[in-house]
Amino acid sequence: MKNKRGVKQMDLSFITEYYMPMVLTASLIIGYVVKKSLDFIPNKYIPLILAVSGAVLGCIVNKTVALEPVVYGAFSGLASTGLHQAFTRLVEGE
């Protein structure tokens, strides 16, 4: 997908079908805390941490341990990583 200036953009409209807003928000907060406070954790492990915490939070939100909440929660946790990167690039002007 391209914007008005012809720059290629990512189409994230499919996310609205699968993400869990509470898990996404909680994952953004967890990722921020891990990145800013826990310097001993390398950045390459943050997506893994958010996927696992998103899966756990997905089960908590749905009050059940099943495949669907685990997958959707992990997806929302990973989406928070991408959302953070998109926001950072938008703010920095890249």
Side-chain angles (χ1 to χ4, degrees):
M1 182 174 172
K2 293 186 178 187
N3 65 6
K4 295 175 188 174
R5 292 179 271 170
V7 177
K8 198 175 208 183
Q9 290 183 326
M10 212 167 45
D11 183 22
L12 299 175
S13 60
F14 71 94
I15 289 178
T16 59
E17 296 176 29
Y18 301 111
Y19 82 102
M20 302 170 90
M22 289 183 71
V23 175
L24 183 71
T25 305
S27 295
L28 274 168
I29 294 167
I30 292 168
Y32 181 82
V33 169
V34 168
K35 185 164 182 69
K36 298 295 181 182
S37 303
L38 305 175
D39 295 332
F40 61 91
I41 297 176
N43 287 341
K44 68 180 183 178
Y45 293 121
I46 293 175
L48 175 64
I49 292 167
L50 294 179
V52 171
S53 64
V56 171
L57 289 170
C59 290
I60 291 170
V61 167
N62 284 328
K63 298 176 185 156
T64 182
V65 178
L67 183 60
E68 190 172 313
V70 169
V71 171
Y72 289 170
F75 179 76
S76 296
L78 290 173
S80 73
T81 305
L83 185 62
H84 176 269
Q85 289 297 316
F87 180 74
T88 302
R89 290 201 171 107
L90 179 70
V91 169
E92 292 175 359
E94 291 183 17

